[in-house]
Every structure is written in structure tokens, then in C-alpha cells.
């Protein structure tokens, strides 16, 4: 076997790449991790973590506003967005140095620079000191994604931004128009509206959060309305006029309309970072804009693997990490591991939170899959009431034999609770298993047990169903 500089080179240090590099080192390989920007990738620097840090601050602001209901006297309440941004940056910096420490401790060589494939066993890395060629036995591509900017006339105008720029702001604009009512758009709408800013969301589809359970989206619609978020569905943006006031022109039912705000956030999806990295040079097979992989995360080139957002499977940090571990096992020859995308929890950090996993009712109905439903209205949960957030629903979907197929939650801390249901589906548990599992009281997790009891028509905390 030829002598390579490294057994494994990982290109891109997002949640896919940085975990993958550590796992390869744990398998005893000599590993380099090449990153052009910052360790942690989109997730840590421009995605999951900064958005949730800001949302945490906004939630605290909201809670303090209602503190008097618990007898707490507070003076005039205000917020300093620059301070909140500083808090967010502090968390990001701490986590970033944590990753650097972990890579070092595991013996992974971190190389700063932009990597391009030169041939099937060589990566050219352009860094501060010029270009260095490093050779590898296996390369794992983990270059991630960036915000898409569709070709809408005027999109490059003043005060028209994406999630990347929003997350570097130290001052919060006075009002917002958000183009795109997907997960990222709706999390930003929640953030801005909770901090008291007027928000308009323009969505092209008949509803925001396409693919999310219709009952949950309906409840969320009411929550957003209460926060004075103006959601406009079925609207096609035709042009944007940047400026101190941004005007977004759209068509609704054939009529020309417009919405204005101090800032326009374009949130219409993410493009894979696959151009200019030499994929075509060695003929890596693509699937539209994404790198084509098999269930082992292998590309068509024997020495090249790919993971994360560039594979176009499910653009979530935990999926990227899971792929990273599978690719590591296979590329290092440690064990044959396959990706399983059937049980992937999804979380939306609205208030209350939304989380779901497995089969949804809408999909089951659309595909003619026979199912049985158990539901519980979160208004009946004591802990949620104590938390002042007793809004939402828990839904469990089973096969006719009672096997759990899917779960949808909207309630406080839904994002922390969904893992129980992911495990239940993965282990082939039945609704009966969930109903007979004692859930601690008083917790929001009781909504899961209640929905399981409802599945059998035996929920003690729901009114009897009309016959
Ligand atoms: P990335 O995290 O995109 O990392 C890729 C890295 O590769 C980057 O650091 C980049 O600089 C580097 N790179 C690219 N090309 C090269 C090159 N040629 N040479 C060297 N380095 C290169 N997901 C969740 O699961 N939960 C959430 O709550 C969540 N919230 C989000 C909020 C926002 C606003 C956004 C934008 C995304 C969010 N996501 C969330 C999605 C999540 O961030 C991504 O799915 C995840 O980061 C993808 O990981 P990755 O490893 O594939 O790539």
C-alpha cells in the first residue's frame, strides 16, 4: 500500500466532520481535519447554537414579563440586544474551543484552509501560507451548506439578509419581513416577535412548516397571531426593493401586494457546498446539487465518502453527526455500518416547542396507511400549566397491531422529550408499552403517557369521547 500523509482526511468541521474525525482517531487512524472557517461549522457558528441562545434570551424576556403572576415584582423591563448577542457569542466561543480541545486530545491534526480534491488520494489545501498537498487513503467530504439566495429581482439590495448575517447583528432592526415559513424562518419569526418586533412571514405554500402535522401548525398559527406575527400563505415573492425600508412585492391570488419592514430575511432553503472543491475532477457522482451516497455513506469513488448537508438526505445537525459515525466505521474498516433514516427526530424551537419523529398522521392518511391515533390536549397537563405554557397537543400514531409508528408533540420542552419516542419506535415498542411505563409526575412528559392511554380510549384526564 502506498504511503499516505494521513489514513483519513475529513474536509469540513461541522457536526458531521468534527465528530467523524474524532471517531476515526478512536479507531486508531492518523487523521487530519481540514476547515476553511471555524470549527463547529454552520451548526455551532451560524445555525443551531446561536439561534437557540438568542431564543433562550427572548424566552427569558417573555417569562420576566409575566413574573408578576407569581408575585414577583419587577421594574421596567427592557432588553439590550447587543448584550444578548454577546451572550450568544460567548456560548459559541466556549463550545468552539471545546471542539479544538477534543480534536487535539484525540490526536486529530486540524488544518486551517480551503480544500480542493486534486486526485483520488490528494487534497490541495489553500491556507494562509499558500497551497499544501496532503495525501490520504480515504477522504470524507463534510463541506455542508450555505443559505440559498434565489434569483428574485432586487435580492442583493440594502437590508436584505440571510440567517448568516442576522446572526452577526448587534442591533435588532425595528421590523421584519421574512421570506419563507420553513423551520428557520419560523424560529426567527418567534425570536423577533417575542422581542416585540412586528414580523410578516411570506410563504409560497398553502401553510407554514410544510410537512409538519396540520393540527400542530393550526395551534402554532394561533400562537403566532397572538404574538402579532402576520403570516401570509400562498404568496409568491416577485421582487424586493432594498433600502432603509425594504419592500417585498408578492402575488396573492393573482393580486399584486407588498409588505414592508426595516429588514428582510431570506429563508428559503440551503444550497450544498459542492462547487469548486474538485468533485468533477475525479467524477464524483452527483444527485442534482448533492453528492450521491449509498447507505454506507460511500460515493462512487472508492476512496471518497460524504456526510451531512451535502448529501441532501435530511439537513439536520444530528443526521450529519450520525452519518459521520457511520462513514468513520466504514472508512476505517472498523465495522460495516448502514445509515437508517427512518427514525430521525425533528425539532422546531417555537414557543411552545414542536418535535416529531416517524410517521405523521397527514402522511399516513395521504399514503393510505392504516393507523390508530392517541391524542392529548396539553391544556390538561399540570406541569405545563405551572410553567404558564399549557398550549399544544401530543399525538401518537400506531399500526393496527399497536406498534408505535410516529409521534408529534407540541408542548414545553418537546425537543427534550422526543428522544423517548424515537427510542420507542427504534425498539419496536407498542403504545401499550408506553401507556404502562410510569411517567414521573408532575412533568410535561405525562402528555406522552396520556396520549398512549387515549389510544385505548382510557385516558383519565380527558373528557369522555362522544359516542
Ligand atoms: P456544516 O455545519 O455546514 O459545516 C461544514 C463546514 O465545512 C463549514 O465549517 C465550512 O466552513 C467547511 N467547508 C466547506 N467547504 C470547505 C472546503 N472546501 N474546505 C474546508 N472547509 C470547508 N439543525 C439541527 O439539527 N437543529 C437545529 O436547531 C438547527 N438550527 C439551524 C438554524 C439555522 C439558522 C441554520 C442555518 C441551520 C440549522 N440547522 C439545525 C441545520 C444544521 O446547522 C446543519 O444541518 C448542519 O450544520 C450540517 O452539518 P454539516 O457537518 O453537514 O455541515
Amino acid at each position: 500500500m502506498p504511503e499516505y500523509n494521513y489514513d483519513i482526511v475529513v474536509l469540513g468541521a461541522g457536526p458531521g466532520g468534527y465528530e467523524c474525525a474524532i471517531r476515526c482517531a478512536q479507531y486508531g487512524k492518523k487523521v487530519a481535519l481540514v476547515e476553511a472557517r471555524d470549527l463547529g461549522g454552520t451548526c455551532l457558528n451560524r445555525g443551531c447554537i446561536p439561534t437557540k441562545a438568542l431564543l433562550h434570551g427572548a424566552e427569558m424576556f417573555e417569562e420576566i414579563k409575566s413574573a408578576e403572576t407569581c408575585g414577583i415584582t419587577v421594574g421596567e423591563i427592557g432588553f439590550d440586544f447587543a448584550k444578548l448577542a454577546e451572550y450568544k457569542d460567548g456560548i459559541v466561543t466556549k463550545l468552539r474551543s471545546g471542539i479544538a480541545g477534543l480534536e487535539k486530545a484525540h490526536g486529530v491534526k486540524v488544518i486551517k484552509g480551503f480544500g480542493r480534491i486534486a486526485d483520488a488520494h490528494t487534497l490541495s489545501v489553500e491556507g494562509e501560507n499558500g497551497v499544501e498537498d496532503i495525501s490520504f487513503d480515504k477522504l470524507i467530504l463534510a463541506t455542508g451548506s450555505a443559505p440559498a439566495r434565489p434569483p428574485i429581482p432586487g435580492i442583493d439590495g440594502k437590508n436584505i439578509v440571510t440567517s448568516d448575517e442576522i446572526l452577526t447583528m448587534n442591533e435588532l432592526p425595528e421590523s421584519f419581513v421574512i421570506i419563507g415559513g420553513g423551520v428557520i424562518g419560523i424560529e426567527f419569526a418567534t425570536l423577533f416577535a417575542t422581542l416585540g418586533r412586528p414580523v410578516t412571514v411570506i410563504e409560497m405554500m398553502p401553510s407554514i412548516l410544510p410537512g409538519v402535522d396540520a393540527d400542530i401548525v393550526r395551534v402554532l398559527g394561533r400562537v403566532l397571531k397572538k404574538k402579532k406575527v402576520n403570516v401570509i400563505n400562498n404568496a409568491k415573492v416577485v421582487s424586493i426593493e432594498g433600502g432603509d425600508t425594504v419592500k417585498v412585492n408578492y402575488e396573492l391570488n393573482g393580486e399584486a401586494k407588498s409588505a414592508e419592514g426595516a429588514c428582510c430575511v431570506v429563508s428559503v432553503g440551503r444550497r450544498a457546498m459542492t462547487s469548486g472543491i474538485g468533485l468533477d475532477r475525479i467524477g464524483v457522482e452527483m444527485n442534482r446539487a448533492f453528492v450521491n451516497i449509498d447507505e454506507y455513506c460511500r460515493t462512487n469513488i472508492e476512496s471518497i465518502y460524504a456526510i451531512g448537508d451535502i448529501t441532501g438526505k435530511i439537513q439536520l445537525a444530528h443526521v450529519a453527526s450520525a452519518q459521520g459515525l457511520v462513514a468513520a466505521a466504514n472508512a476505517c474498516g472498523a465495522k460495516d455500518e448502514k445509515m437508517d433514516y427512518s427514525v430521525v427526530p425533528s425539532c422546531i424551537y417555537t414557543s411552545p416547542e414542536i418535535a416529531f419523529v416517524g410517521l405523521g398522521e397527514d402522511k399516513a392518511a395521504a399514503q393510505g396507511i392504516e393507523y390508530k391515533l392517541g391524542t392529548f390536549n396539553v391544556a390538561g397537563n399540570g406541569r405545563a400549566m405551572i410553567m404558564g405554557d399549557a398550549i399544544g397537543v401530543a399525538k401518537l400514531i400506531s399500526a393496527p397491531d399497536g406498534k408505535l409508528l410516529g409521534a408529534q408533540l407540541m408542548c414545553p420542552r418537546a425537543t427534550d422529550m422526543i428522544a423517548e419516542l424515537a427510542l420507542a419506535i427504534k425498539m419496536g415498542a407498542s403504545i401499550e408499552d408506553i401507556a404502562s411505563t410510569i411517567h414521573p409526575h408532575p412533568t410535561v412528559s405525562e402528555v406522552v403517557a396520556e396520549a398512549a392511554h387515549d389510544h385505548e380510549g382510557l385516558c383519565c384526564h380527558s373528557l369522555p369521547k362522544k359516542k
Side-chain angles (χ1 to χ4, degrees):
M1 191 169 114
E3 267 294 299
Y4 297 116
N5 298 134
Y6 295 96
D7 299 316
I8 307 280
V9 170
V10 181
L11 184 60
Y18 86 74
E19 280 196 42
C20 177
I22 291 173
R23 182 56 60 89
C24 292
Q26 287 171 329
Y27 287 134
K29 299 294 179 188
K30 188 179 176 197
V31 186
L33 175 61
V34 179
E35 170 57 55
R37 297 175 74 179
D38 295 306
L39 294 178
T42 303
C43 170
L44 175 52
N45 301 288
R46 300 172 294 283
C48 326
I49 298 294
T51 48
K52 276 63 196 186
L54 294 177
L55 279 161
H56 171 73
E59 241 172 60
M60 205 188 282
F61 179 58
E62 182 95 329
E63 236 174 83
I64 292 169
K65 280 200 283 184
S66 59
E68 282 192 354
T69 55
C70 293
I72 300 162
T73 313
V74 280
E76 200 183 322
I77 309 159
F79 72 87
D80 176 347
F81 189 74
K83 274 253 169 173
L84 178 53
E86 208 179 291
Y87 170 75
K88 165 206 72 167
D89 292 341
I91 305 264
V92 170
T93 308
K94 217 175 194 172
L95 287 170
R96 213 190 278 147
S97 64
I99 296 174
L102 283 172
E103 300 295 345
K104 192 169 175 205
H106 284 279
V108 173
K109 169 85 176 158
V110 174
I111 301 173
K112 186 147 176 87
F114 189 90
R116 290 179 187 85
I117 298 170
D119 62 46
H121 289 281
T122 313
L123 187 77
S124 290
V125 183
E126 191 177 346
E128 270 178 7
N129 303 320
V131 178
E132 180 198 2
D133 280 352
I134 54 175
S135 60
F136 54 81
D137 182 23
K138 298 280 185 329
L139 173 69
I140 299 171
L141 299 167
T143 51
S145 64
R149 271 187 171 261
I152 301 170
I155 197 162
D156 294 322
K158 188 176 169 192
N159 291 326
I160 303 167
V161 299
T162 67
S163 57
D164 278 5
E165 293 83 37
I166 279 287
L167 292 170
T168 62
M169 283 182 178
N170 286 320
E171 247 180 81
L172 195 64
E174 285 305 315
S175 57
F176 292 88
V177 179
I178 299 175
I179 303 178
V183 174
I184 294 174
I186 292 301
E187 286 188 356
F188 275 124
T190 301
L191 171 70
F192 304 144
T194 306
L195 293 176
R197 297 300 198 252
V199 181
T200 301
V201 176
I202 301 180
E203 168 57 50
M204 198 163 83
M205 304 297 280
S207 147
I208 55 167
L209 299 179
V212 177
D213 181 84
D215 289 336
I216 285 180
V217 174
R218 216 169 296 124
V219 179
L220 181 68
R222 291 204 295 271
V223 170
L224 291 175
K225 199 165 175 192
K226 212 166 151 205
K227 283 183 183 288
K228 300 201 170 55
V229 176
N230 179 21
V231 175
I232 303 166
N233 292 320
N234 288 311
K236 184 174 188 291
V237 173
V238 289
S239 66
I240 317 174
E241 297 167 44
D244 291 337
T245 298
V246 184
K247 191 170 170 200
V248 179
N249 302 309
Y250 60 93
E251 279 172 13
L252 180 68
N253 302 326
E255 258 185 73
K257 302 214 169 211
S258 65
E260 288 184 353
C263 177
C264 169
V265 184
V266 179
S267 177
V268 294
R270 299 187 52 86
R271 68 183 165 82
M273 295 286 281
T274 50
S275 62
I277 59 169
L279 298 176
D280 44 349
R281 184 170 293 172
I282 54 165
V284 174
E285 200 177 280
M286 304 293 288
N287 176 7
R288 294 172 293 128
F290 301 105
V291 177
N292 205 18
I293 55 164
D294 66 11
E295 53 204 334
Y296 300 94
C297 298
R298 296 179 303 205
T299 71
N300 60 317
I301 307 293
E302 192 265 332
S303 57
I304 316 271
Y305 290 66
I307 58 173
D309 281 7
I310 50 163
T311 64
K313 298 288 181 193
I314 303 172
Q315 290 190 327
L316 288 172
H318 40 283
V319 175
S321 300
Q323 288 177 316
L325 302 185
V326 165
N330 296 317
C332 295
K335 48 186 163 170
D336 275 358
E337 268 192 27
K338 286 186 191 179
M339 268 307 292
D340 173 8
Y341 299 100
S342 64
V343 189
V344 174
S346 293
C347 299
I348 310 174
Y349 293 74
T350 44
S351 178
E353 296 174 347
I354 296 168
F356 48 95
V357 61
L359 186 70
E361 192 187 1
D362 302 332
K363 197 168 172 192
Q367 294 182 357
I369 299 170
E370 222 182 310
Y371 68 94
K372 200 173 161 197
L373 199 62
T375 64
F376 186 71
N377 186 338
V378 175
N381 177 267
R383 187 73 199 280
M385 210 180 286
I386 292 166
M387 293 163 87
D389 216 3
I391 308 163
V393 63
K395 292 174 82 167
L396 300 181
I397 289 182
S398 76
D401 65 358
K403 197 169 152 187
L404 184 68
L405 297 177
Q408 287 82 40
L409 303 177
M410 182 190 199
C411 55
R413 298 287 172 244
T415 61
D416 291 321
M417 282 159 45
I418 199 68
E420 170 192 358
L421 295 155
L423 180 67
I425 298 174
K426 189 106 184 150
M427 303 287 289
S430 67
I431 294 269
E432 175 55 32
D433 293 324
I434 295 171
S436 63
T437 299
I438 299 174
H439 284 67
H441 177 77
T443 63
V444 185
S445 75
E446 286 170 285
V447 301
V448 170
E450 304 280 14
H453 288 299
D454 178 71
H455 186 269
E456 300 312 312
L458 294 171
C459 178
C460 300
H461 294 99
S462 292
L463 295 173
K465 288 204 171 111
K466 284 189 188 123
K467 295 258 156 74

